[in-house]
Amino acid sequence: MLLNSYYLITSLFSFRALHRYNRRLASIDIDDLIATAGAPPVTIIVPAYNEAATIVEASRSLLTLRYPDYEILIVNDGSTDETLDVLRSTYRLQPAPRFPLAAIPTASVRGIYQSQTHPNLWVIDKENGKRADAINAGINYCRTPLLCIVDADGIIEPEALMRIVRPFLEDTRTVASGGIIRVVNGCKVQDGLVQEVRLPRNWLARFQVVEYLRSFLSGRVGWDALQIMLLISGAFGLFRRDLVVAVGAWPTIASGKILN
């Protein structure tokens, strides 16, 4: 009863907040907002470990984002499959110089590559150190004031980056913002874009769709309306780089200890 009452309260607040947000979105042209406020450069960091099956579709979706100034850093975290080979053949990767701007401790970097077909796409190849370590390696080589963390198996909508940057343009005190995460199972995806939204055939996966909607639409949006946001999802979140570096970036676990 307590849990469902909590769900009901957050759902009511989120419904009201989503209604207001929808009206604001309809009345404001995001392109004009970005153009007039000046689009801050963004670096998208994608930690990848054994993602050969999904990395091409995910990276293609990032390359189709409607945003004027951004870079993509795919961090190959010591994958044991063909992740690096797939990226190398798809995007014609070549070794390129890129110097770190931070000194966050990470597993050793084995090589840095730049795409010859998409100059804003970079790949950092490093020894395995788990997800947080891969993110920190990307932060070391980040050169923009904002950084965005995206899962390697995620498909990002073309306007998602423009929308997640918007809170930083509206309020200079913003330190982080997050997006809505949905399940892509059952949807038709082509060339990194969701062509058709459909429910999966498996009933267990359908319950997962409902749970994600509850978690993000009625949960996170409701928390935001109550000004008690607990966290930013690791699958799609935008952060100020200077503050992330100042707090020691993502904590990593090594030898049973949390290291900053």
Side-chain angles (χ1 to χ4, degrees):
M1 289 180 62
L2 289 174
L3 182 62
N4 283 281
S5 298
Y6 159 75
Y7 287 161
L8 176 61
I9 293 172
T10 55
S11 295
L12 293 175
F13 276 98
S14 65
F15 178 80
R16 185 178 179 184
L18 284 170
H19 183 64
R20 290 199 305 264
Y21 177 76
N22 189 51
R23 286 189 301 176
R24 291 175 59 197
L25 203 61
S27 63
I28 298 177
D29 191 304
I30 298 180
D31 290 327
D32 290 342
L33 180 64
I34 295 289
T36 55
V42 176
T43 296
I44 301 175
I45 299 174
V46 187
Y49 176 73
N50 290 351
E51 300 286 356
T54 59
I55 193 63
V56 172
E57 287 292 342
S59 56
R60 281 177 178 169
S61 74
L62 296 176
L63 291 168
T64 61
L65 292 176
R66 294 182 56 220
Y67 196 79
D69 189 3
Y70 72 99
E71 283 189 327
I72 304 169
L73 294 183
I74 300 177
V75 184
N76 180 46
D77 189 39
S79 298
T80 57
D81 66 355
E82 299 178 348
T83 298
L84 184 60
D85 294 332
V86 169
L87 289 170
R88 184 182 286 116
S89 60
T90 303
Y91 297 112
R92 294 173 51 196
L93 299 180
Q94 294 293 332
R98 188 181 179 106
F99 301 99
L101 299 183
I104 303 168
T106 67
S108 60
V109 173
R110 298 182 293 203
I112 299 177
Y113 307 89
Q114 185 178 20
S115 170
Q116 301 302 297
T117 58
H118 300 82
N120 65 328
L121 175 64
W122 294 74
V123 175
I124 300 173
D125 182 37
K126 61 180 288 293
E127 299 288 344
N128 180 260
K130 306 303 180 183
R131 186 176 188 275
D133 191 80
I135 293 174
N136 291 343
I139 294 172
N140 280 338
Y141 289 91
C142 174
R143 301 185 293 201
T144 59
L146 297 178
L147 60 91
C148 182
I149 310 298
V150 175
D151 277 353
D153 58 353
I155 304 296
I156 309 299
E157 293 184 345
E159 293 186 350
L161 191 57
M162 299 177 68
R163 291 178 176 175
I164 201 172
V165 168
R166 179 174 169 180
F168 289 85
L169 301 178
E170 295 179 330
D171 190 344
T172 58
R173 297 172 298 175
T174 303
V175 299
S177 62
I180 300 297
I181 311 297
R182 296 178 295 172
V183 178
V184 77
N185 293 11
C187 298
K188 181 181 178 181
V189 179
Q190 184 176 356
D191 297 327
L193 296 174
V194 177
Q195 303 292 339
E196 184 180 354
V197 177
R198 296 180 296 195
L199 284 174
R201 295 182 179 180
N202 183 283
W203 274 100
L204 185 61
R206 291 188 177 188
F207 281 115
Q208 186 184 29
V209 171
V210 175
E211 173 60 19
Y212 267 67
L213 291 175
R214 184 209 61 77
S215 176
F216 286 92
L217 287 181
S218 65
R220 306 287 171 81
V221 176
W223 292 347
D224 179 65
L226 293 170
Q227 297 185 359
I228 54 173
M229 181 64 70
L230 299 179
L231 58 90
I232 299 295
S233 173
F236 185 39
L238 188 70
F239 307 86
R240 276 180 51 184
R241 178 189 177 277
D242 59 337
L243 295 181
V244 170
V245 174
V247 299
W250 265 248
T252 57
I253 300 178
S255 302
K257 298 179 180 178
I258 297 180
L259 305 177
N260 286 329

